[in-house]
Amino acid sequence: MCSPGFSCDSALQVTYIVRGSGRAQVVGVDGKRVLETTVKAGNLFIVPRFFVVSKIADPDGLEWFSIITTPNPVFTHLAGRTSVWKALSPQVLQASFNVSPEVEEKFSSKRKAEEIFFPPPK
């Protein structure tokens, strides 16, 4: 699963599925899911400005590339090195999720380095 992410600079994202299959989920700015569909090689879909997209591979994998409609795109992800979680204090995360400091630490430590949640088996 690729971490949900979005363009911060109003770019459109055109995604082409090269190989494999899986699911694509797109969520609008109001938080409502606007697309949840199975994708396979040869499919093309467009993610509107400021919408969040995540791609989830089937067991055989999923390869894609995206074309961005701005020369210097700015993306953020909910996990990984550009994660928005890093901007939130541990106390805010604990209160938001109603969890103990230990659970918050475990959650935060697992989502700060990688944009891929479940990498393929080696």
Side-chain angles (χ1 to χ4, degrees), residues 1-121:
M1 175 178 180
C2 181
S3 170
F6 65 97
S7 168
C8 299
D9 61 357
S10 76
L12 292 172
Q13 182 178 353
V14 180
T15 300
Y16 179 75
I17 307 301
V18 177
R19 188 173 304 135
S21 62
R23 292 190 347 243
Q25 296 177 340
V26 179
V27 175
V29 293
D30 59 358
K32 293 182 182 173
R33 189 176 314 141
V34 296
L35 176 70
E36 180 166 5
T37 190
T38 299
V39 294
K40 60 183 179 181
N43 288 161
L44 178 86
F45 64 94
I46 298 172
V47 180
R49 292 176 171 92
F50 306 113
F51 281 42
V52 176
V53 63
S54 184
K55 299 159 204 90
I56 303 102
D58 283 342
D60 292 332
L62 177 66
E63 294 180 31
W64 73 89
F65 70 87
S66 295
I67 299 171
I68 311 304
T69 62
T70 184
N72 298 309
V74 178
F75 281 93
T76 190
H77 288 270
L78 295 180
R81 63 181 178 79
T82 61
S83 171
V84 296
W85 296 119
K86 290 182 179 180
L88 301 173
S89 72
Q91 294 80 11
V92 168
L93 288 171
Q94 290 167 30
S96 298
F97 293 114
N98 193 24
V99 296
S100 68
E102 294 79 20
V103 171
E104 181 281 326
E105 173 59 34
K106 192 172 192 175
F107 172 83
S108 293
S109 70
K110 302 294 183 192
R111 299 292 175 244
K112 289 186 177 175
E114 303 294 329
E115 286 88 9
I116 304 297
F117 286 168
F118 307 107

